[in-house]
Amino acid sequence: MDKVALRSRIRARRRAAACPAAVASGDSADTLSANTVGVSLTKNTLDWLATLSGNHPGMVVCAYISTGYEPPTQELLRACTAAGYIVHVPVCEPDFQLSWVRWHSAVELVRSAWAPVMEPLGARIPFEALVAGTGAASSHNQLRAIIVPALAVDAEGTRLGQGGGYYDRFLAGVSGVPLAAVIYDDEYLPAGALPYDSLDMPVHYALTPSAWIPLGAAHHSTVDHSKDPIGGANG
């Protein structure tokens, strides 16, 4: 199946899982479900961050504000900030580029001029400047991890994105930083299940409501979780 068909199928499944009938009737089931997913995803993300070599509060984490039917990241952003991490989220720029704005719970959100998403107001920092500003001057401010959205991820680290092109362009310039993609449990697939081309940049971990999962080379180098049948720490 090609990427367009896969994206269509996964988006339809996400919409169906959101129980539109419950929303129409005013049922709170969707809110409860989203809250449960968000809490579980947050726990697994914090557990994953804690395992990274040299990790400690005060380090920088690049994440994102979820939208639509994506796994909710609002609680994740709040918890990372409360744990002492400095959180930055992306804003869209011309030519499919990303800049980064520091996130906090009271930050004002506005509609992006370039994509159908909400973005925070604040000083926009190019990724290169963000890395330079958190580099050798202080180990307590180093960029610790990057968390990105996805529609699916396979065991080798192939990521199926939304198709906008922003993250593939961004990830092509990233090296030496752990990369994790956020997905639902049933969007973690066996190795080779996703189409791949030269523009697709692999990720090292998947973050789901049930587990954090090392992928590809990260899986083979992760000893502590080798007994788990899907290669991660159950949450």
Side-chain angles (χ1 to χ4, degrees):
M1 185 178 298
D2 65 22
K3 291 182 180 180
V4 173
L6 276 171
R7 289 187 181 109
S8 179
R9 173 185 287 185
I10 294 169
R11 287 170 181 149
R13 187 167 60 196
R14 285 184 173 184
R15 287 193 297 269
C19 303
V23 174
S25 66
D27 197 316
S28 61
D30 276 1
T31 301
L32 292 173
S33 176
N35 288 343
T36 300
V37 168
V39 168
S40 298
L41 178 62
T42 296
K43 177 185 181 301
N44 291 326
T45 300
L46 291 177
D47 287 349
W48 168 64
L49 287 170
T51 69
L52 299 178
S53 176
N55 179 73
H56 49 72
M59 285 190 161
V60 173
V61 173
C62 288
Y64 68 97
I65 300 171
S66 59
T67 186
Y69 299 105
E70 292 178 331
T73 62
Q74 287 79 2
E75 180 61 27
L76 183 159
L77 297 175
R78 285 191 291 267
C80 284
T81 302
Y85 295 103
I86 299 170
V87 177
H88 285 77
V89 297
V91 292
C92 298
E93 302 285 9
D95 299 322
F96 301 98
Q97 300 301 304
L98 295 176
S99 293
W100 298 82
V101 173
R102 185 163 179 175
W103 185 91
H104 57 86
S105 59
V107 69
E108 182 181 353
L109 300 179
V110 296
R111 183 79 169 182
S112 171
W114 301 100
V117 296
M118 300 298 289
E119 298 175 335
L121 289 177
R124 296 184 172 214
I125 307 172
F127 184 71
E128 295 79 6
L130 179 64
V131 173
T134 64
S138 171
S139 62
H140 291 280
N141 291 324
Q142 290 178 352
L143 178 59
R144 177 63 283 180
I146 299 172
I147 300 170
V148 300
L151 286 169
V153 172
D154 74 15
E156 286 301 315
T158 302
R159 168 185 168 271
L160 180 69
Q162 294 282 2
Y166 284 92
Y167 278 99
D168 283 331
R169 288 173 172 82
F170 163 66
L171 293 176
V174 174
S175 63
V177 182
L179 305 175
V182 175
I183 52 174
Y184 289 105
D185 294 315
D186 59 357
E187 296 163 355
Y188 171 63
L189 304 174
L194 292 175
Y196 174 86
D197 60 44
S198 61
L199 297 178
D200 293 321
M201 305 306 299
V203 295
H204 310 128
Y205 300 88
L207 302 174
T208 81
S210 295
W212 65 265
I213 308 167
L215 309 169
H219 169 74
H220 299 305
S221 66
T222 303
V223 176
D224 292 345
H225 306 282
S226 62
K227 296 181 180 179
D228 192 295
I230 59 172
N234 287 336

